[in-house]
Amino acid sequence: MKRLILSAVIAFGIHPSLSIAQTISECNDRQRLTEMAMEVRDRLARGDSEDSLLMWAGNIEGPGLQSAAYKAIEAYTFPYQKPGSVSQVVTVMHYMCSKTYRP
């Protein structure tokens, strides 16, 4: 019985840490973040509404990537200061994505 309880504690104790490490790795995929930032920029240039972009971001799986997408939308739609480059937006997106998993 003790072994069963110990096994359960170990399984549940290790599993969340593995899943967090796996989800943080999606934040390190700079290519994916760059593609997301460019998609936001290009869709706005084509005349897509902010609401349609917010719906697009809401459909992204993974809370980290979703928060990164929202940050990209904010960066490109903020009326007073446009971002200097895609890499600046990606840097902020990476920070927001990582922060989602490490509060």
Side-chain angles (χ1 to χ4, degrees):
M1 184 66 169
K2 287 182 182 180
R3 285 186 185 185
L4 179 64
I5 293 172
L6 180 60
S7 298
V9 168
I10 290 173
F12 290 117
I14 292 175
H15 178 65
S17 64
L18 290 176
S19 64
I20 289 172
Q22 191 174 34
T23 52
I24 288 176
S25 69
E26 74 186 9
C27 298
N28 293 327
D29 186 354
R30 301 227 11 129
Q31 178 66 32
R32 186 166 183 192
L33 293 175
T34 301
E35 290 169 359
M36 289 171 64
M38 291 171 59
E39 181 169 353
V40 169
R41 181 194 64 191
D42 294 345
R43 287 178 66 172
L44 284 170
R46 286 192 312 254
D48 285 10
S49 70
E50 185 177 349
D51 289 337
S52 71
L53 283 169
L54 291 172
M55 287 187 344
W56 165 78
N59 290 328
I60 294 175
E61 291 196 26
L65 290 177
Q66 194 175 64
S67 68
Y70 286 129
K71 189 47 95 173
I73 293 167
E74 179 183 325
Y76 285 109
T77 59
F78 190 68
Y80 300 108
Q81 184 172 347
K82 298 293 179 192
S85 67
V86 171
S87 64
Q88 287 177 334
V89 175
V90 170
T91 299
V92 175
M93 291 171 68
H94 176 263
Y95 172 76
M96 288 306 296
C97 185
S98 298
K99 187 177 178 185
T100 301
Y101 296 111
R102 292 183 230 163

